[in-house]
């Protein structure tokens, strides 16, 4: 999981207890912030291969860092018109497992 929060805030969330602490990557830990590409470059260096952004604004940085991106279309979220477009798009999270399975 890649989050723009600090370690202490993430530790207080429900998701923190569901994942291995080594899989929780925060802006504090990576010393970079979304939506800039540096946080995604550091996530790639830590072994993250795919990003499923919760916000359309996070697509550009992840693609510029060389990550595979699966965009979940959300009402009101528009991609950066000057930025790259992800090749993988799903209408909702229910479609996500099938798309992720194709990435092998």
């Amino acid at each position: 999981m890649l989050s723009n929060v600090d370690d202490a805030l993430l530790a207080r969330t429900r998701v923190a207890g569901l994942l291995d602490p080594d899989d929780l990557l925060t802006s504090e830990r990576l010393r970079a912030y979304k939506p800039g590409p540096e946080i995604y470059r550091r996530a790639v260096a830590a072994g993250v291969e795919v990003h499923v952004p919760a916000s359309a604004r996070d697509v550009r940085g992840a693609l510029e860092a060389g990550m595979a991106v699966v965009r979940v279309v959300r009402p009101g979220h528009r991609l950066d018109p000057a930025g790259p477009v992800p090749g993988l798009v799903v209408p909702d999270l229910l479609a996500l497992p099938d798309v992720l399975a194709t990435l092998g």
Side-chain angles (χ1 to χ4, degrees), residues 34 51-58 70 72 74 77:
K34 294 178 184 177
H51 183 54
V52 180
S55 171
R57 73 183 189 101
D58 294 341
V70 181
V72 180
R74 294 177 57 205
H77 288 246

Side-chain angles (χ1 to χ4, degrees), residues 4-78:
N4 235 14
V5 300
D6 63 35
D7 294 342
L9 179 59
L10 183 60
R12 293 193 308 264
T13 67
R14 279 193 264 170
V15 74
L18 301 174
L19 298 171
D20 183 311
D22 291 337
D23 293 333
L24 300 173
L25 301 176
T26 64
S27 287
E28 178 181 358
R29 187 174 182 189
L30 298 175
R31 302 198 188 307
Y33 294 87
K34 294 178 184 177
E38 189 57 32
I39 191 168
Y40 304 103
R41 287 187 193 106
R42 293 178 187 184
V44 168
V48 177
E49 298 175 4
V50 179
H51 183 54
V52 180
S55 171
R57 73 183 189 101
D58 294 341
V59 169
R60 183 177 187 155
L63 286 172
E64 288 177 351
M67 295 182 91
V69 172
V70 181
R71 178 178 180 234
V72 180
V73 177
R74 294 177 57 205
H77 288 246
R78 307 262 185 275

